[in-house]
Amino acid sequence: AVDRLTNRPVEPESEFVVKIQDINDNEPTFLDGPYTAGVPEMSPVGTSVVQVTATDADDPTYGNSARVVYSILQGQPYFSVEPKTGIIRTALPSMDREAKDQYLLVIQAKDMVGQMGGLSGTTSVTVTLTDVNDNPPRFARKSYQYNVPESLPVVSVVAKIKAADADVGPNAEMEYRIIDGDGLGMLRVSTDKETQEGVITLQKELDFETKASYTLRIEATNKNIDPQFLSLGPFSDTTNVKIIVEDVDEPPIFTSPVNRMVVSEAAKVGTIIGTVAAHDPDASNSLIRYSIDRNTDLERFFNIDATTGVISTAKQLDREMNAVHNITLLAMESQDPTQVGRGIAVISVLDINDNAPMFAIEYETFLCENADPGQVIQTISAVDKDEPPNGHRFYFALTPEAASNLNFTLRDNKVLVLLIVTMKRRKKEPLIFDEERDIRENIVRYDDEGGGEEDTEAFDMAALRNLNVIRDTKTRRDVTPEIQFFSRPSYKSIPDNVIFREFIWDRLKEADIDPSAPPYDSLQTYAFEGSGSVAESLSSLESLSTDSDQNYDYLSDWGPRFKKLADMYGNSEDSVFS
């Protein structure tokens, strides 16, 4: 309070508290609604389903404006709700999902403890009954019948059956099996996991003439059985399935699908080899006509009698050309040529001794003139296109012309099938020359055996065959080689008595400075004959051969300097190789 004129307080300030008294002007509200919930079917009474909650904005401390109670407006008599907690429970036993699987409930929340004049709010609750395995599988019929043609391929589907099960999901899964019947080995049943059907498939070929029908007793059983519902069982069912086999016109069948026969390659044309037989498996039992598929007998070696099935030779056979003939035989019905059966004839040709032995290769034998008597100079073998049962046994002998040559003998090693030629001869005078004679050829022997045939580093054999080849320098492995360039001097303008001295000195010089010289194996070639000789080459390396037709009698006319050569080559009758 203040003075209006002076605006001064006339008394101290005072504080006033105004309290607003609540009235029931807000209805309860379900903030989480609408609700959905599930409960297993066949649940006992009082099974909790879901709890609902409503809120009231009025003052809960003043009066009953915010005191809410719950009631069910829709969903009775199947469900109930607790007034104070809002918990919804089942109210009836044995609620069956297969009869009704979903319920819509309306729940009310009212303040003022549910008294008259109170405000209320509602929400919906959708309750779904979940499945349990309370229904066994059941076949709609106690027997089924299916017709199938006898030509149905193996593993084909014969029929599909299904036992009804009101349950769903894993509770409806089942297994099928054959528990009785005469088709256990012929048919089998399996379960289609997608459709839960029993699939009957064929395991062996059907034959109307052998058996015209099959009967099966099939059982369907639930895979997942709930022990608390065993009293509703048994959870299996059986049915009878009859399979009727329909007759189909089939092609002829050979008594034996593979016929094995033998015939000698010496058999004359028209020789009977064997007989095949086929029959019509149908009840009509039509007559059969036989033929050969000529695509398997292009050269027409064989014939078959169209009526009797007798197979005979049509051409001369040769085992060495074809030892086994694999031909396809055809059998067709006389009344219906489109019905063709097939069989196989395997004809083996027996061997006879109709081929002479042949030498394995063409032999060309070389030997040194100083070969020792009795030395083996060639081993010879033979081959034969024939194949005797106990293996080949060859006999070797020299021809009459060769047998008269006493320089060579033959030894037959029998089982070894080898021809061994040995040499015997008279002792030959050694090639000794007088030191005073003018020798045009010298062989320098170092008694160095070298590294054998596998030693390719020792020397180049081409040097023995071509004296004009310049040898490639071989690098020693234990020293660092110096690159040397060698040049061959021309000897054409030098006198004969100097040619050979210069040639030898050049070769010795090369050997001294050659980095590939000993201690490694080496070959020094001194076989140089000079140039311009009217007698041309007199080297024994070139002239000494078994097939030479050269006449050396003229050497005796050249004077004493060629007497030794004339003695060696002049008389062909004394030749070692005569």
Side-chain angles (χ1 to χ4, degrees), residues 407-463:
N407 288 321
F408 301 95
T409 61
L410 176 146
R411 186 172 72 222
D412 189 349
N413 273 2
K414 297 181 173 67
V415 179
L416 295 179
V417 196
L418 300 175
L419 178 66
I420 301 177
V421 180
T422 61
M423 182 185 73
K424 60 182 181 179
R425 62 169 187 174
R426 65 180 182 274
K427 186 175 181 181
K428 188 171 181 287
E429 293 183 2
L431 298 178
I432 301 177
F433 300 94
D434 297 335
E435 294 181 357
E436 62 272 19
R437 291 185 179 180
D438 186 4
I439 304 302
R440 294 300 180 101
E441 293 182 25
N442 288 328
I443 298 179
V444 180
R445 180 174 180 181
Y446 290 98
D447 287 331
D448 189 350
E449 295 181 354
E453 294 180 356
E454 297 180 358
D455 187 358
T456 59
E457 303 257 343
F459 52 84
D460 188 359
M461 289 298 295

Short mmCIF file of all heavy atoms in Angstrom, two decimals, residues 407-463:
data_model
loop_
_atom_site.label_atom_id
_atom_site.label_comp_id
_atom_site.label_asym_id
_atom_site.label_seq_id
_atom_site.Cartn_x
_atom_site.Cartn_y
_atom_site.Cartn_z
N ASN A 407 85.19 -114.39 -92.05
CA ASN A 407 85.59 -113.32 -91.15
C ASN A 407 84.55 -113.04 -90.06
O ASN A 407 84.84 -112.37 -89.09
CB ASN A 407 85.85 -112.03 -91.93
CG ASN A 407 87.12 -112.12 -92.75
OD1 ASN A 407 88.11 -112.67 -92.30
ND2 ASN A 407 87.06 -111.62 -93.96
N PHE A 408 83.30 -113.49 -90.25
CA PHE A 408 82.23 -113.16 -89.31
C PHE A 408 81.46 -114.42 -88.94
O PHE A 408 81.28 -115.33 -89.76
CB PHE A 408 81.25 -112.14 -89.93
CG PHE A 408 81.91 -110.86 -90.32
CD1 PHE A 408 82.35 -110.66 -91.63
CD2 PHE A 408 82.12 -109.86 -89.38
CE1 PHE A 408 82.97 -109.49 -91.99
CE2 PHE A 408 82.74 -108.69 -89.75
CZ PHE A 408 83.17 -108.48 -91.05
N THR A 409 80.99 -114.46 -87.71
CA THR A 409 80.13 -115.55 -87.25
C THR A 409 78.91 -114.96 -86.58
O THR A 409 78.89 -113.80 -86.17
CB THR A 409 80.86 -116.45 -86.23
OG1 THR A 409 81.22 -115.65 -85.11
CG2 THR A 409 82.09 -117.08 -86.84
N LEU A 410 77.86 -115.79 -86.48
CA LEU A 410 76.60 -115.35 -85.87
C LEU A 410 76.28 -116.27 -84.70
O LEU A 410 76.45 -117.49 -84.81
CB LEU A 410 75.47 -115.41 -86.90
CG LEU A 410 74.06 -115.08 -86.41
CD1 LEU A 410 73.31 -114.38 -87.54
CD2 LEU A 410 73.31 -116.35 -86.03
N ARG A 411 75.83 -115.69 -83.59
CA ARG A 411 75.41 -116.48 -82.46
C ARG A 411 73.97 -116.12 -82.09
O ARG A 411 73.66 -114.96 -81.85
CB ARG A 411 76.32 -116.22 -81.25
CG ARG A 411 75.97 -117.18 -80.08
CD ARG A 411 76.99 -117.10 -78.94
NE ARG A 411 76.84 -115.84 -78.22
CZ ARG A 411 77.88 -115.10 -77.83
NH1 ARG A 411 79.11 -115.47 -78.14
NH2 ARG A 411 77.69 -113.99 -77.16
N ASP A 412 73.11 -117.13 -82.12
CA ASP A 412 71.69 -116.94 -81.81
C ASP A 412 71.50 -117.07 -80.30
O ASP A 412 71.73 -118.13 -79.73
CB ASP A 412 70.86 -117.98 -82.55
CG ASP A 412 69.37 -117.70 -82.44
OD1 ASP A 412 69.01 -116.83 -81.62
OD2 ASP A 412 68.59 -118.33 -83.16
N ASN A 413 71.03 -115.98 -79.66
CA ASN A 413 70.84 -116.00 -78.21
C ASN A 413 69.48 -116.55 -77.79
O ASN A 413 69.05 -116.39 -76.66
CB ASN A 413 71.01 -114.59 -77.63
CG ASN A 413 72.46 -114.32 -77.31
OD1 ASN A 413 73.31 -115.16 -77.56
ND2 ASN A 413 72.75 -113.16 -76.78
N LYS A 414 68.70 -117.13 -78.71
CA LYS A 414 67.41 -117.79 -78.48
C LYS A 414 66.48 -116.78 -77.71
O LYS A 414 66.05 -115.81 -78.36
CB LYS A 414 67.64 -119.09 -77.74
CG LYS A 414 68.50 -120.09 -78.60
CD LYS A 414 68.71 -121.38 -77.88
CE LYS A 414 69.38 -122.41 -78.80
NZ LYS A 414 70.73 -122.03 -79.15
N VAL A 415 66.27 -117.13 -76.56
CA VAL A 415 65.20 -116.37 -75.88
C VAL A 415 65.44 -114.89 -75.94
O VAL A 415 64.52 -114.07 -75.96
CB VAL A 415 65.11 -116.82 -74.41
CG1 VAL A 415 64.03 -116.04 -73.65
CG2 VAL A 415 64.84 -118.32 -74.33
N LEU A 416 66.52 -114.48 -75.91
CA LEU A 416 66.89 -113.04 -75.97
C LEU A 416 66.51 -112.40 -77.29
O LEU A 416 66.53 -111.19 -77.42
CB LEU A 416 68.40 -112.85 -75.75
CG LEU A 416 68.91 -113.25 -74.37
CD1 LEU A 416 70.41 -113.04 -74.29
CD2 LEU A 416 68.21 -112.43 -73.29
N VAL A 417 66.19 -113.23 -78.29
CA VAL A 417 65.81 -112.72 -79.60
C VAL A 417 66.84 -111.71 -80.09
O VAL A 417 66.50 -110.59 -80.47
CB VAL A 417 64.40 -112.07 -79.56
CG1 VAL A 417 63.86 -111.90 -80.95
CG2 VAL A 417 63.44 -112.92 -78.74
N LEU A 418 68.11 -112.07 -80.05
CA LEU A 418 69.18 -111.17 -80.45
C LEU A 418 70.06 -111.85 -81.49
O LEU A 418 70.24 -113.06 -81.48
CB LEU A 418 70.05 -110.77 -79.24
CG LEU A 418 69.35 -110.06 -78.11
CD1 LEU A 418 70.31 -109.87 -76.96
CD2 LEU A 418 68.80 -108.73 -78.58
N LEU A 419 70.62 -111.07 -82.36
CA LEU A 419 71.61 -111.55 -83.31
C LEU A 419 72.93 -110.89 -82.97
O LEU A 419 73.02 -109.67 -82.93
CB LEU A 419 71.21 -111.19 -84.74
CG LEU A 419 72.21 -111.59 -85.83
CD1 LEU A 419 72.30 -113.10 -85.93
CD2 LEU A 419 71.81 -111.00 -87.16
N ILE A 420 73.92 -111.70 -82.66
CA ILE A 420 75.22 -111.15 -82.28
C ILE A 420 76.23 -111.57 -83.34
O ILE A 420 76.37 -112.75 -83.66
CB ILE A 420 75.66 -111.68 -80.90
CG1 ILE A 420 74.62 -111.28 -79.85
CG2 ILE A 420 77.03 -111.16 -80.53
CD1 ILE A 420 74.92 -111.81 -78.50
N VAL A 421 76.90 -110.60 -83.89
CA VAL A 421 77.90 -110.87 -84.92
C VAL A 421 79.26 -110.68 -84.31
O VAL A 421 79.54 -109.64 -83.71
CB VAL A 421 77.71 -109.91 -86.13
CG1 VAL A 421 78.75 -110.21 -87.19
CG2 VAL A 421 76.31 -110.08 -86.69
N THR A 422 80.09 -111.68 -84.42
CA THR A 422 81.46 -111.57 -83.94
C THR A 422 82.41 -111.68 -85.11
O THR A 422 82.05 -112.18 -86.19
CB THR A 422 81.78 -112.67 -82.92
OG1 THR A 422 81.63 -113.94 -83.57
CG2 THR A 422 80.84 -112.61 -81.73
N MET A 423 83.63 -111.21 -84.92
CA MET A 423 84.60 -111.17 -86.02
C MET A 423 85.82 -112.02 -85.66
O MET A 423 86.30 -112.00 -84.54
CB MET A 423 85.04 -109.73 -86.27
CG MET A 423 86.00 -109.58 -87.44
SD MET A 423 86.58 -107.89 -87.57
CE MET A 423 87.68 -107.85 -86.19
N LYS A 424 86.29 -112.80 -86.64
CA LYS A 424 87.56 -113.50 -86.49
C LYS A 424 88.35 -113.30 -87.77
O LYS A 424 87.81 -113.32 -88.87
CB LYS A 424 87.32 -114.99 -86.22
CG LYS A 424 86.55 -115.73 -87.30
CD LYS A 424 86.33 -117.16 -86.90
CE LYS A 424 85.57 -117.91 -88.00
NZ LYS A 424 85.37 -119.32 -87.65
N ARG A 425 89.63 -113.11 -87.65
CA ARG A 425 90.45 -112.80 -88.81
C ARG A 425 91.88 -113.22 -88.53
O ARG A 425 92.24 -113.52 -87.39
CB ARG A 425 90.42 -111.29 -89.10
CG ARG A 425 90.98 -110.50 -87.93
CD ARG A 425 91.22 -109.06 -88.24
NE ARG A 425 91.91 -108.43 -87.12
CZ ARG A 425 92.35 -107.21 -87.13
NH1 ARG A 425 92.15 -106.44 -88.18
NH2 ARG A 425 92.99 -106.71 -86.10
N ARG A 426 92.67 -113.21 -89.57
CA ARG A 426 94.08 -113.51 -89.38
C ARG A 426 94.78 -112.28 -88.84
O ARG A 426 94.33 -111.16 -89.02
CB ARG A 426 94.70 -113.90 -90.73
CG ARG A 426 94.70 -112.78 -91.75
CD ARG A 426 95.32 -113.26 -93.05
NE ARG A 426 95.38 -112.19 -94.03
CZ ARG A 426 94.39 -111.87 -94.84
NH1 ARG A 426 93.26 -112.54 -94.78
NH2 ARG A 426 94.51 -110.89 -95.71
N LYS A 427 95.85 -112.53 -88.16
CA LYS A 427 96.60 -111.42 -87.56
C LYS A 427 97.22 -110.57 -88.64
O LYS A 427 97.83 -111.07 -89.57
CB LYS A 427 97.69 -111.96 -86.63
CG LYS A 427 98.42 -110.88 -85.87
CD LYS A 427 99.40 -111.48 -84.90
CE LYS A 427 100.12 -110.38 -84.12
NZ LYS A 427 101.10 -110.93 -83.17
N LYS A 428 97.05 -109.29 -88.51
CA LYS A 428 97.51 -108.35 -89.52
C LYS A 428 98.81 -107.70 -89.07
O LYS A 428 99.01 -107.44 -87.90
CB LYS A 428 96.45 -107.26 -89.73
CG LYS A 428 96.72 -106.34 -90.89
CD LYS A 428 95.50 -105.46 -91.11
CE LYS A 428 95.71 -104.53 -92.28
NZ LYS A 428 96.62 -103.48 -92.00
N GLU A 429 99.69 -107.47 -90.02
CA GLU A 429 100.96 -106.85 -89.69
C GLU A 429 100.72 -105.45 -89.17
O GLU A 429 99.90 -104.71 -89.71
CB GLU A 429 101.86 -106.79 -90.92
CG GLU A 429 102.32 -108.16 -91.42
CD GLU A 429 103.26 -108.03 -92.60
OE1 GLU A 429 103.55 -106.88 -92.96
OE2 GLU A 429 103.69 -109.06 -93.14
N PRO A 430 101.44 -105.05 -88.15
CA PRO A 430 101.28 -103.67 -87.65
C PRO A 430 101.80 -102.68 -88.67
O PRO A 430 102.70 -102.97 -89.45
CB PRO A 430 102.11 -103.67 -86.36
CG PRO A 430 103.12 -104.75 -86.56
CD PRO A 430 102.44 -105.83 -87.38
N LEU A 431 101.25 -101.52 -88.63
CA LEU A 431 101.65 -100.45 -89.54
C LEU A 431 102.90 -99.77 -88.97
O LEU A 431 102.81 -98.81 -88.21
CB LEU A 431 100.51 -99.44 -89.71
CG LEU A 431 99.22 -100.02 -90.32
CD1 LEU A 431 98.15 -98.95 -90.40
CD2 LEU A 431 99.52 -100.60 -91.71
N ILE A 432 104.06 -100.31 -89.33
CA ILE A 432 105.33 -99.75 -88.84
C ILE A 432 106.03 -99.10 -90.03
O ILE A 432 106.18 -99.70 -91.10
CB ILE A 432 106.22 -100.86 -88.24
CG1 ILE A 432 105.47 -101.54 -87.08
CG2 ILE A 432 107.54 -100.29 -87.79
CD1 ILE A 432 106.24 -102.67 -86.46
N PHE A 433 106.48 -97.90 -89.84
CA PHE A 433 107.13 -97.15 -90.92
C PHE A 433 108.59 -96.90 -90.56
O PHE A 433 108.94 -96.75 -89.40
CB PHE A 433 106.42 -95.80 -91.13
CG PHE A 433 104.96 -95.95 -91.50
CD1 PHE A 433 103.97 -95.92 -90.53
CD2 PHE A 433 104.60 -96.13 -92.82
CE1 PHE A 433 102.65 -96.04 -90.88
CE2 PHE A 433 103.29 -96.26 -93.16
CZ PHE A 433 102.30 -96.21 -92.19
N ASP A 434 109.36 -96.88 -91.58
CA ASP A 434 110.76 -96.53 -91.37
C ASP A 434 110.87 -95.07 -91.03
O ASP A 434 110.20 -94.24 -91.63
CB ASP A 434 111.57 -96.86 -92.62
CG ASP A 434 111.57 -98.35 -92.93
OD1 ASP A 434 111.38 -99.15 -91.96
OD2 ASP A 434 111.72 -98.71 -94.10
N GLU A 435 111.73 -94.80 -90.09
CA GLU A 435 111.87 -93.40 -89.67
C GLU A 435 112.41 -92.52 -90.78
O GLU A 435 112.15 -91.33 -90.82
CB GLU A 435 112.81 -93.32 -88.46
CG GLU A 435 112.24 -94.00 -87.21
CD GLU A 435 113.20 -93.87 -86.04
OE1 GLU A 435 114.29 -93.31 -86.24
OE2 GLU A 435 112.82 -94.32 -84.95
N GLU A 436 113.23 -93.18 -91.70
CA GLU A 436 113.83 -92.35 -92.74
C GLU A 436 112.85 -92.03 -93.87
O GLU A 436 113.16 -91.23 -94.74
CB GLU A 436 115.08 -93.03 -93.31
CG GLU A 436 114.80 -94.38 -93.98
CD GLU A 436 114.85 -95.53 -93.00
OE1 GLU A 436 114.74 -95.22 -91.78
OE2 GLU A 436 114.97 -96.68 -93.40
N ARG A 437 111.72 -92.73 -93.88
CA ARG A 437 110.79 -92.47 -94.97
C ARG A 437 110.08 -91.13 -94.74
O ARG A 437 109.91 -90.67 -93.62
CB ARG A 437 109.74 -93.58 -95.04
CG ARG A 437 110.34 -94.91 -95.51
CD ARG A 437 109.25 -95.95 -95.68
NE ARG A 437 109.79 -97.21 -96.15
CZ ARG A 437 109.07 -98.29 -96.38
NH1 ARG A 437 107.77 -98.25 -96.17
NH2 ARG A 437 109.64 -99.40 -96.82
N ASP A 438 109.64 -90.56 -95.85
CA ASP A 438 108.91 -89.29 -95.79
C ASP A 438 107.44 -89.60 -95.51
O ASP A 438 106.71 -90.04 -96.39
CB ASP A 438 109.04 -88.54 -97.13
CG ASP A 438 108.43 -87.17 -97.06
OD1 ASP A 438 107.97 -86.77 -95.95
OD2 ASP A 438 108.38 -86.50 -98.10
N ILE A 439 107.06 -89.46 -94.27
CA ILE A 439 105.71 -89.81 -93.87
C ILE A 439 104.81 -88.58 -94.01
O ILE A 439 105.14 -87.51 -93.50
CB ILE A 439 105.69 -90.33 -92.43
CG1 ILE A 439 106.65 -91.50 -92.28
CG2 ILE A 439 104.28 -90.76 -92.04
CD1 ILE A 439 106.34 -92.65 -93.19
N ARG A 440 103.69 -88.78 -94.71
CA ARG A 440 102.77 -87.66 -94.91
C ARG A 440 101.72 -87.53 -93.79
O ARG A 440 101.00 -86.58 -93.74
CB ARG A 440 102.04 -87.84 -96.26
CG ARG A 440 102.96 -87.74 -97.45
CD ARG A 440 103.65 -86.38 -97.51
NE ARG A 440 104.54 -86.28 -98.63
CZ ARG A 440 104.23 -85.64 -99.77
NH1 ARG A 440 103.06 -85.09 -99.89
NH2 ARG A 440 105.09 -85.59 -100.75
N GLU A 441 101.64 -88.57 -92.97
CA GLU A 441 100.65 -88.51 -91.87
C GLU A 441 101.30 -89.01 -90.58
O GLU A 441 102.06 -89.98 -90.61
CB GLU A 441 99.44 -89.39 -92.15
CG GLU A 441 98.59 -88.91 -93.31
CD GLU A 441 97.37 -89.80 -93.51
OE1 GLU A 441 96.93 -90.43 -92.52
OE2 GLU A 441 96.88 -89.85 -94.62
N ASN A 442 101.05 -88.32 -89.49
CA ASN A 442 101.52 -88.73 -88.17
C ASN A 442 100.35 -88.73 -87.20
O ASN A 442 99.51 -87.83 -87.25
CB ASN A 442 102.59 -87.76 -87.64
CG ASN A 442 103.90 -87.92 -88.40
OD1 ASN A 442 104.22 -89.01 -88.85
ND2 ASN A 442 104.61 -86.83 -88.54
N ILE A 443 100.31 -89.74 -86.35
CA ILE A 443 99.32 -89.76 -85.27
C ILE A 443 100.08 -89.64 -83.96
O ILE A 443 100.90 -90.48 -83.63
CB ILE A 443 98.50 -91.06 -85.28
CG1 ILE A 443 97.70 -91.15 -86.59
CG2 ILE A 443 97.56 -91.12 -84.08
CD1 ILE A 443 96.89 -92.41 -86.70
N VAL A 444 99.82 -88.56 -83.23
CA VAL A 444 100.48 -88.33 -81.96
C VAL A 444 99.59 -88.87 -80.86
O VAL A 444 98.45 -88.45 -80.72
CB VAL A 444 100.76 -86.82 -81.74
CG1 VAL A 444 101.45 -86.61 -80.41
CG2 VAL A 444 101.61 -86.29 -82.87
N ARG A 445 100.11 -89.81 -80.07
CA ARG A 445 99.32 -90.45 -79.01
C ARG A 445 99.79 -89.95 -77.65
O ARG A 445 100.96 -90.04 -77.34
CB ARG A 445 99.46 -91.97 -79.11
CG ARG A 445 98.66 -92.71 -78.05
CD ARG A 445 98.74 -94.20 -78.32
NE ARG A 445 97.99 -94.93 -77.31
CZ ARG A 445 97.88 -96.26 -77.28
NH1 ARG A 445 98.50 -96.97 -78.23
NH2 ARG A 445 97.20 -96.86 -76.34
N TYR A 446 98.84 -89.45 -76.85
CA TYR A 446 99.19 -88.91 -75.54
C TYR A 446 98.72 -89.82 -74.40
O TYR A 446 98.90 -89.51 -73.24
CB TYR A 446 98.52 -87.53 -75.35
CG TYR A 446 99.13 -86.46 -76.25
CD1 TYR A 446 98.49 -86.15 -77.45
CD2 TYR A 446 100.28 -85.80 -75.91
CE1 TYR A 446 99.01 -85.17 -78.29
CE2 TYR A 446 100.81 -84.83 -76.72
CZ TYR A 446 100.18 -84.51 -77.92
OH TYR A 446 100.69 -83.55 -78.73
N ASP A 447 98.10 -90.95 -74.73
CA ASP A 447 97.57 -91.87 -73.71
C ASP A 447 96.65 -91.14 -72.72
O ASP A 447 96.68 -91.37 -71.52
CB ASP A 447 98.71 -92.54 -72.92
CG ASP A 447 99.40 -93.58 -73.78
OD1 ASP A 447 98.74 -94.16 -74.67
OD2 ASP A 447 100.59 -93.80 -73.54
N ASP A 448 95.87 -90.22 -73.24
CA ASP A 448 94.92 -89.47 -72.40
C ASP A 448 93.52 -89.94 -72.77
O ASP A 448 93.06 -89.72 -73.89
CB ASP A 448 95.09 -87.96 -72.66
CG ASP A 448 94.29 -87.15 -71.66
OD1 ASP A 448 93.48 -87.74 -70.93
OD2 ASP A 448 94.48 -85.93 -71.64
N GLU A 449 92.80 -90.59 -71.82
CA GLU A 449 91.52 -91.21 -72.16
C GLU A 449 90.35 -90.22 -72.18
O GLU A 449 89.29 -90.53 -72.69
CB GLU A 449 91.20 -92.32 -71.16
CG GLU A 449 92.19 -93.47 -71.22
CD GLU A 449 91.83 -94.56 -70.25
OE1 GLU A 449 90.90 -94.34 -69.46
OE2 GLU A 449 92.48 -95.60 -70.28
N GLY A 450 90.55 -89.07 -71.61
CA GLY A 450 89.49 -88.08 -71.66
C GLY A 450 88.33 -88.38 -70.70
O GLY A 450 88.42 -89.24 -69.84
N GLY A 451 87.28 -87.71 -70.91
CA GLY A 451 86.15 -87.79 -69.98
C GLY A 451 85.02 -88.69 -70.43
O GLY A 451 83.96 -88.68 -69.85
N GLY A 452 85.23 -89.45 -71.47
CA GLY A 452 84.19 -90.37 -71.92
C GLY A 452 83.20 -89.69 -72.86
O GLY A 452 83.36 -88.54 -73.28
N GLU A 453 82.12 -90.43 -73.15
CA GLU A 453 81.16 -89.94 -74.14
C GLU A 453 80.41 -88.70 -73.68
O GLU A 453 79.99 -87.89 -74.49
CB GLU A 453 80.14 -91.05 -74.44
CG GLU A 453 80.75 -92.24 -75.13
CD GLU A 453 79.70 -93.31 -75.41
OE1 GLU A 453 78.55 -93.12 -74.99
OE2 GLU A 453 80.06 -94.29 -76.04
N GLU A 454 80.25 -88.56 -72.37
CA GLU A 454 79.49 -87.43 -71.86
C GLU A 454 80.33 -86.16 -71.73
O GLU A 454 79.81 -85.12 -71.37
CB GLU A 454 78.88 -87.78 -70.51
CG GLU A 454 77.89 -88.93 -70.58
CD GLU A 454 77.29 -89.25 -69.22
OE1 GLU A 454 77.70 -88.59 -68.25
OE2 GLU A 454 76.45 -90.12 -69.16
N ASP A 455 81.64 -86.27 -72.00
CA ASP A 455 82.52 -85.11 -71.89
C ASP A 455 82.45 -84.33 -73.19
O ASP A 455 83.12 -84.65 -74.16
CB ASP A 455 83.96 -85.55 -71.60
CG ASP A 455 84.86 -84.35 -71.31
OD1 ASP A 455 84.37 -83.20 -71.37
OD2 ASP A 455 86.04 -84.58 -71.03
N THR A 456 81.62 -83.31 -73.25
CA THR A 456 81.48 -82.50 -74.46
C THR A 456 82.42 -81.32 -74.48
O THR A 456 82.42 -80.54 -75.43
CB THR A 456 80.03 -81.98 -74.55
OG1 THR A 456 79.75 -81.21 -73.38
CG2 THR A 456 79.04 -83.15 -74.63
N GLU A 457 83.22 -81.18 -73.41
CA GLU A 457 84.14 -80.05 -73.34
C GLU A 457 85.53 -80.40 -73.86
O GLU A 457 86.40 -79.56 -73.99
CB GLU A 457 84.26 -79.59 -71.86
CG GLU A 457 82.92 -79.21 -71.24
CD GLU A 457 82.76 -77.72 -71.17
OE1 GLU A 457 83.78 -77.04 -71.29
OE2 GLU A 457 81.63 -77.25 -71.00
N ALA A 458 85.75 -81.69 -74.12
CA ALA A 458 87.12 -82.12 -74.44
C ALA A 458 87.56 -81.62 -75.81
O ALA A 458 88.54 -80.91 -75.94
CB ALA A 458 87.22 -83.65 -74.37
N PHE A 459 86.81 -82.01 -76.84
CA PHE A 459 87.18 -81.57 -78.18
C PHE A 459 85.99 -81.71 -79.09
O PHE A 459 84.98 -82.33 -78.76
CB PHE A 459 88.36 -82.40 -78.73
CG PHE A 459 88.14 -83.88 -78.66
CD1 PHE A 459 87.44 -84.55 -79.65
CD2 PHE A 459 88.61 -84.61 -77.57
CE1 PHE A 459 87.24 -85.91 -79.59
CE2 PHE A 459 88.39 -85.97 -77.49
CZ PHE A 459 87.71 -86.62 -78.49
N ASP A 460 86.12 -81.09 -80.23
CA ASP A 460 85.05 -81.08 -81.21
C ASP A 460 85.34 -82.16 -82.25
O ASP A 460 86.36 -82.12 -82.94
CB ASP A 460 84.97 -79.70 -81.87
CG ASP A 460 83.76 -79.60 -82.77
OD1 ASP A 460 83.01 -80.58 -82.90
OD2 ASP A 460 83.56 -78.52 -83.35
N MET A 461 84.40 -83.13 -82.36
CA MET A 461 84.61 -84.21 -83.31
C MET A 461 84.59 -83.71 -84.75
O MET A 461 85.04 -84.41 -85.66
CB MET A 461 83.51 -85.27 -83.14
CG MET A 461 83.64 -86.10 -81.86
SD MET A 461 85.17 -87.03 -81.79
CE MET A 461 84.91 -88.17 -83.17
N ALA A 462 84.05 -82.52 -84.97
CA ALA A 462 84.04 -82.01 -86.33
C ALA A 462 85.45 -81.80 -86.87
O ALA A 462 85.69 -81.79 -88.08
CB ALA A 462 83.27 -80.69 -86.38
N ALA A 463 86.43 -81.68 -85.96
CA ALA A 463 87.81 -81.50 -86.40
C ALA A 463 88.34 -82.72 -87.12
O ALA A 463 89.26 -82.63 -87.93
CB ALA A 463 88.70 -81.17 -85.20
#
